[in-house]
Every structure is written in C-alpha cells, then in structure tokens.
Amino acid sequence: MAAPASDRSGSNAAQYLLHRHLDEGRGDHPAVRGPGGETSYAELSDLVRDVAAAYRAMGLRRDDRVLFVAADDVPLLAGLLAAFHAGVVAVPVSTMLTAKELGGIMADSGARMVVVSEDFAGTVAEALAAAPEVEMVTTIGAPGAFATDHGTHVVRDFDAVVALGREARADDDAAGDVAATSQDGWALWLYTSGTTGQPKAAMHRHANIRHVCETYGTQVLGITPDDVTFSVAKLFFAYGIGNSLFFPFSVGATTVLEPRRPSPAVVGERLAADRPTLFFGVPTFYAALVASDLPDDAFASVRWCASAGEALPAPLQQRFSDRFGVQILDGIGSTEALHIFLSNRPGDIRPGTTGRAVPGYEVEVRDEDGKRAPVGQPGALYVRGESIALGYWRRTDATRQVFQGSWLSTGDTYVQDDEGYFRCLGRNTDMLKAGGIWVSPAEVESRLLEHPAVQEAAVVGLADADGLDKPVAVVVADRTKASAEDLVAWCRDGLAHFKAPRQVVHVDELPKTATGKLQRFKVRAFLVAADEPEVVEPTPSEPAVAT
C-alpha cells in the first residue's frame, strides 16, 4: 500500500525508518525475524498505521507519553514506531525494575498509557498505584494481573488495539496518516541514572534518530539492506534500540528480535537459525560467550561485532576474536547522546581504546579548568553532535550540569594519545556500571542500610577476572545477623538484580575524612589489597546488558 502524500515528509522518525521503504520498493523485504516468523516492511507498516490510529482513537494527543514495559518482539517494535508515527512520545523502560522503581518512573513521566507484556504484568499492576496519571493499559499476550477489573484503568489487549485502529482507518482514510512532526519534536524519552542516582528522562527529538543512523550506522558499521542485525541489548536501552531498530530500518535491513532473557545458549540458537551479519553485545556478555560451550564457528555469519556500555578489556577482546574469528568494534555512547559517538572502526581497531570520534561528533578531553587537556593528560570527556538530547525532563539542575551549551559532559575520565585514540580511565563521579548499566552506589547503600544489622555501608566498583567492574559492598554490620550471603539476597530482594553487590565484605569501620566524609578511593584500595575477603558471587539469571 503506497503511503499517502501527507506522509512524505522525512521529519517523522516512523516515516524515515519504516514507511518510505514501501515507496522505494522494499515492501516485501523482511523487516523482522522473531519467534513468530518473518514480518515484511509492508506488513509492519500496515500494523504500525493501525496501532497509531488506535492511539488517536483512544484519545492520546501530541506529546502524550506511552510507556512500554515489554519483551522484544513485533508488538513492542510496532508500538514504538506507532508512537513516532502518531506524534506521541515513546518511553521504553527496563523490564528488570521492581514495582517501586517502575512506579517512580511512571509517575515522573506523566504517561497516560502503559503497554506491558504478560511476563511483567504483575510488576506493572503493582507500580500503577504510584502513577495516578496512567489511564490506559495495553496488554501483550496473556493479561495476567489485568485479567480482572483493575480500578479505573481502561485495559485492552494488543489485538483489540489493532482492531480499533483498523476500524478507525476504515471510517476515515486520514486516521492512519503520519503526524506532521517537526525535526525538534519529542520522539523518545529514555530513562537513565547517568551522573546522578535518580532516574531521569533524556528527551530525544525525531532528528536525533536520523543522526545516529547517518553517523555510527552508516560511517562505522557500513550497514546495508543485506545485513541482518542481532542485539543482546534490549530495545528499552539506547544501545539496543539503535542496534535493533534505528540502524537496520534506516537502510531497509532485517532485525532479529529475541524476547527471552539473553544467555549464550539463546544467542547460539539465534546465530544458527537467523545467521546475523552484525552482532551487538557488551563486555560482560562477551566474557560469558568466551566461557560458554558454543562451537567455535558460532559467529561464522557475523562480519562485525560491536561493544559498548563499558570499556572492553583488551585481553577479553583478544580471547573472543581468537576463539570465534570475528573482531569487535569497541565504542562508547550514552543515553544522552542516544548511541555511540566514539568508536573503533573496521580497519582501525586499537584494543584497549575506544577509538576515535565517530564522524559527525566532536570529542574533547578537558582539564579541571574546563580547557582542552594536552595529549596524554587525563580529563573529563565532552562530546557534541546533533543527536544530543534536549535535556532531562523536570531535572533543571541536572540538565544544567550535564548539558553545557552544545556540549554534553559525559561524566567519564579519558585520555587521548598522540595518535588520536581515546582511552577510558573510569568515571569522574561515584557512579559505576554493572554489565553496562548505570548503578548508583547511594541507592545500593540505602538498601543495605535498611537491613537492621547494618550500621554503615559503602559500594564501589571492583574489576572481576575479566577486567569488568562489578558492584562490591563494604559494610559495618553484625556478622551473626547479616552474613555476606544474607546481604546479597537482601539487596536482590529490594532492587533490580543487576544493582545488587556481587561481593560483600565485613569491616570494623569505613575510611573517612576528618569531617566524616566517606573516602571511596580507600575502600577500593582496601578491596584490591585484601587477600581473602569474605565474599559471595551469586550467579545472575541473565547477564545485564545496556549502554
């Protein structure tokens, strides 16, 4: 079905990513491969028009927020694209959050509708108590907790939403038209802890999506319509939505979606069945792949792997390439920049570095005075480019701290060598990453201090055997009432599992300044020097992945 003339503006992200491919003769090309088989660009375009028409029929207006807590599959993909199409704001959030964490984000976003997969229905139902502005719920799959009456919320399943939109389009040809959004209109909000512990929404324009496609997608990956992408990072991450939606759809390629939790076994299945040519992971998951029993030719179809979320240790990079025969392009991005802005490239890979600036971005290392640091001198990393977010929703102070004119302060400490390559030295705040996902030490410490036997707590990042940082807690506590195992379980019970400390160490006192401030650098030094600390390392049910 040809797109109406009113759809032909390129400002709307749905028009750029999806509908134009029908005009350009790629309607029959597979857009998605998933558990339900293949979906073509023409089939997806029609589905997205139905869902967008339903959004309008349900009363959603320009810039209203639709929050998604859903597994990677065609309904989530269609829901996101339909939000762009209709001129409402897509807000995909982590499926790993607790009800309390999710409720806070729901309330902060002011979302009017939540779209939820069956596996997360119970968490969403509980979280709704904290979000009175939510009026509607769309369920994907079995309704779960929404099978019975749920207060004042209007609950529909995804099939009913599609039917509503199809009926609206039958009654009015214009009901499925693409919204006449501007380049600067809101398209996507992504929640991040960033440089502070409180989740906040980075607000992205329609134009930002096209920019990351034309920079990293085109000029680093060199993606073509013949490529097949597969990302371990899910669609609710900035890294994942670029890998699985923006880049493949920008050229009419095919994306592989996997709703299950990532594991080497699951990845092995999809590698064998779908033969992807571009694979996206994070260092933690690459370490899991190296340690797995996958066959050495598992990545035979893959021409490039990409890594982001945290620095990729050179030894791990070498072990992966030696075993599977494919090279990894390590880079760094951020939720605020939408995707990767500093990266190694095909033919220009320097292990242990994050490469050079992606074409279309400027990157600087600055000293304590805010001036450009000399080559070889560490400093704070700044970036600017057209994909930088507009700011944080309802976070004026944080916006002014991070978004400085046209520049973004990334919160990372970097050094540039005399050949122009950048190397990560860590964070210039107390924030840390676990499997590529930001973790606030203060949040974990607060949970530990809720335990009646814990008097004091400090959480820092400590490198594991693969050189990847993991949260480690040092506590002053009654050992008889709070063992290391007890405290890890306590944190996993009250926080998303990736935030829980991988190790817990008991001490008699924490190092502090004369004024009583915690000295985290001394905590790290103590842990590094400890010969046999009392630790526990739980095996998570899934590797945490993000950027």
Side-chain angles (χ1 to χ4, degrees):
M1 182 174 66
S6 59
D7 293 354
R8 299 187 190 279
S9 167
S11 63
N12 187 291
Q15 176 65 20
Y16 168 69
L17 293 171
L18 177 61
H19 302 307
R20 70 180 173 91
H21 295 302
L22 278 63
D23 292 340
E24 297 171 6
R26 291 188 290 274
D28 292 335
H29 192 73
V32 185
R33 291 178 187 164
E38 284 190 352
T39 303
S40 70
Y41 273 93
E43 291 168 334
L44 185 61
S45 175
D46 199 43
L47 177 60
V48 166
R49 289 184 187 278
D50 285 341
V51 176
Y55 287 166
R56 291 165 174 158
M58 289 187 284
L60 292 176
R61 300 180 295 272
R62 180 70 60 84
D63 294 339
D64 279 343
R65 272 77 71 196
V66 179
L67 190 140
F68 297 85
V69 189
D72 281 21
D73 209 342
V74 171
L76 172 58
L77 193 71
L80 294 169
L81 286 163
F84 303 157
H85 179 118
V88 299
V89 184
V91 188
V93 299
S94 174
T95 58
M96 298 184 287
L97 299 177
T98 65
K100 180 179 179 181
E101 293 165 328
L102 183 58
I105 288 176
M106 278 186 191
D108 181 77
S109 71
R112 292 185 61 203
M113 183 165 76
V114 176
V115 179
V116 55
S117 296
E118 57 184 277
D119 288 348
F120 317 112
T123 302
V124 167
E126 184 179 346
L128 285 172
E133 293 184 15
V134 175
E135 303 166 15
M136 297 167 280
V137 176
T138 294
T139 60
I140 299 170
F146 293 99
T148 57
D149 178 66
H150 203 77
T152 60
H153 298 103
V154 177
V155 180
R156 297 179 177 89
D157 66 29
F158 185 75
D159 291 340
V161 168
V162 173
L164 177 64
R166 189 173 297 126
E167 181 180 352
R169 290 178 64 195
D171 293 340
D172 181 0
D173 289 342
D177 285 359
V178 177
T181 52
S182 71
Q183 294 283 347
D184 288 338
W186 285 338
L188 178 70
W189 289 7
L190 294 169
Y191 272 83
T192 177
S193 294
T195 58
T196 65
Q198 293 300 314
K200 49 200 177 297
M203 303 178 292
H204 284 286
R205 311 174 297 155
H206 283 263
N208 294 14
I209 293 170
R210 186 166 190 156
H211 186 75
V212 296
C213 295
E214 294 177 348
T215 54
Y216 183 79
T218 298
Q219 300 184 62
V220 174
L221 294 177
I223 193 167
T224 74
D226 295 327
D227 275 312
V228 177
T229 66
F230 180 33
S231 175
V232 172
K234 299 296 188 179
L235 281 164
F236 58 76
F237 293 120
Y239 184 41
I241 199 171
N243 305 337
S244 294
L245 173 55
F246 299 160
F247 301 146
F249 279 46
S250 70
V251 296
T254 303
T255 188
V256 175
L257 295 183
E258 173 52 66
R260 291 174 293 176
R261 292 178 174 181
S263 70
V266 167
V267 166
E269 287 181 30
R270 301 316 296 267
L271 288 170
D274 298 299
R275 309 294 291 170
T277 59
L278 294 170
F279 178 84
F280 303 86
V282 297
T284 297
F285 200 84
Y286 283 116
L289 289 168
V290 170
S292 75
D293 58 1
L294 289 182
D296 291 348
D297 63 353
F299 284 80
S301 65
V302 176
R303 61 185 180 89
W304 294 110
C305 290
S307 181
E310 56 190 326
L312 178 67
L316 174 58
Q317 184 172 6
Q318 189 63 51
R319 288 198 299 272
F320 181 89
S321 296
D322 287 347
R323 179 171 174 200
F324 294 111
V326 60
Q327 293 182 303
I328 302 174
L329 307 176
D330 187 29
I332 182 178
S334 72
T335 303
E336 294 85 353
L338 190 55
H339 211 273
I340 292 172
F341 54 80
L342 184 63
S343 182
N344 287 270
R345 303 176 210 173
D348 186 19
I349 296 176
R350 186 66 61 91
T353 79
T354 36
R356 306 172 189 259
V358 171
Y361 294 91
E362 294 179 68
V363 179
E364 289 184 359
V365 176
R366 298 182 182 176
D367 62 20
E368 293 180 353
D369 296 325
K371 298 178 181 178
R372 191 159 191 160
V375 168
Q377 178 178 314
L381 187 69
Y382 284 74
V383 60
R384 68 176 172 186
E386 290 301 312
S387 70
I388 303 300
L390 297 168
Y392 297 126
W393 170 247
R394 292 178 174 171
R395 296 289 190 277
T396 302
D397 289 346
T399 295
R400 289 173 177 168
Q401 176 186 350
V402 174
F403 299 89
Q404 301 178 16
S406 61
W407 290 90
L408 172 72
S409 172
T410 69
D412 296 290
T413 299
Y414 260 76
V415 63
Q416 186 178 18
D417 66 24
D418 55 7
E419 295 182 86
Y421 295 92
F422 290 82
R423 182 164 55 90
C424 181
L425 301 179
R427 293 293 292 171
N428 52 29
T429 70
D430 288 331
M431 292 296 293
L432 60 98
K433 280 187 174 181
I437 308 175
W438 289 123
V439 177
S440 166
E443 184 180 14
V444 185
E445 289 160 3
S446 177
R447 173 61 181 170
L448 285 165
L449 290 170
E450 290 176 6
H451 194 289
V454 177
Q455 302 170 35
E456 296 181 89
V459 175
V460 298
L462 192 69
D464 66 7
D466 289 308
L468 305 173
D469 278 353
K470 306 297 181 187
V472 177
V474 177
V475 299
V476 177
D478 184 340
R479 295 170 187 248
T480 64
K481 298 179 181 178
S483 68
E485 292 84 353
D486 292 337
L487 292 177
V488 170
W490 173 262
C491 289
R492 288 169 66 87
D493 186 56
L495 299 170
H497 284 194
F498 67 84
K499 298 178 182 179
R502 307 302 197 271
Q503 306 176 352
V504 173
V505 180
H506 285 81
V507 295
D508 293 329
E509 61 181 3
L510 297 178
K512 299 174 184 174
T513 66
T515 57
K517 292 182 179 179
L518 178 68
Q519 294 176 303
R520 290 186 190 274
F521 71 96
K522 289 188 177 180
V523 174
R524 291 189 187 93
F526 161 76
L527 290 169
V528 170
D531 291 329
E532 296 182 10
E534 179 185 352
V535 302
V536 60
E537 299 194 52
T539 301
S541 58
E542 63 175 302
V545 292
T547 185

